[in-house]
Amino acid sequence: MSHLTAKSRPMSTTSKTLTFDTSTSRANPTPSPMKRLTVPRIRQQKGGEPLVMLTAYTVRMAQLLDPHCDMLLVGDSLGQVIYGLPHTVAVTMEMMAAHGAAVVRGSYHAAVIIDMPFGSYESSPELAFKNAAHLLKETGAAAVKMEGGKVLAPTIEFLTKRGIPVMAHVGLTPQAINILGGYGVRGKSEEEAASIVEDAAAVADAGAFAMVIEGVLEPIAIEITAKVACPTIGIGASALCDGQVLVTEDMLGLFERTPKFVKKFGNMAVGVEAAVKQYADEVRRRSFPGLEQIYRSTAE
Ligand code: KIV
């Protein structure tokens, strides 16, 4: 992105060409109709066309994903993806607020859902409400997501009844890494499988408008999807969930490691490496900047 002048250049989407104003990072003109998908509409999609969700943490990525997604998730996975943290436990409210606001600024169509970071919601419904309200006010996101099952049901009910839509997250809950000891698939024993199904039923009954089901044996995801009234969004779960989510950088192939549940739909690491290598070569050969990139007269 050029920082020298505020020019417009085409931003292509599958359906139309928008112009992208580099001085404001807004698409210009604003795509019309600028109507975001609402939480009630997402809820209504239960059992219909699968819901498409991807993570987004930055304005440009949000712009690229927005035309194709129903929901953009500002996941606390940004701890690892953006900040190089070992897990999500250290992610702060400030990080979530800054990236959430960027994603809302870069999107027009998708509903933006923002993760509540570890420590911001577990101890009481009142604390959860205060922090969730802060995130919605700071970012303009439509809803929050929080990890947990039965124990969180009173909090989900408290927030929902006070105007804050909640997406739940059951199965593998990465914020509990220090209890779990790893990110292995959940529900291998009958007891654990039954407990995950109970968690899902409890958060759905409490008013969650949707739930992520992460890292469980497939029959568990299928059973939950059949049982609960709200849409289920799978990651490492089942194609029969009501929708799917992936970490965008995983599916774009930015990382070497590909967990079993990720499909690489692109190979961004290879593209970035090739471009950077060519740039470095051209700088070292003094062939960049070339004539086209240089201001040679006062008229330019
Ligand atoms: O933080 C995150 O990105 C998530 C998704 C993987 C569901 O919670």
Side-chain angles (χ1 to χ4, degrees), residues 55 57 73 75-77 115 145 147 169 212 214 235 245 247:
T55 59
Y57 319 116
L73 172 66
D76 63 351
S77 50
D115 256 337
K145 176 166 85 58
E147 295 180 9
H169 184 150
V212 166
E214 176 166 0
I235 174 166
V245 61
V247 169

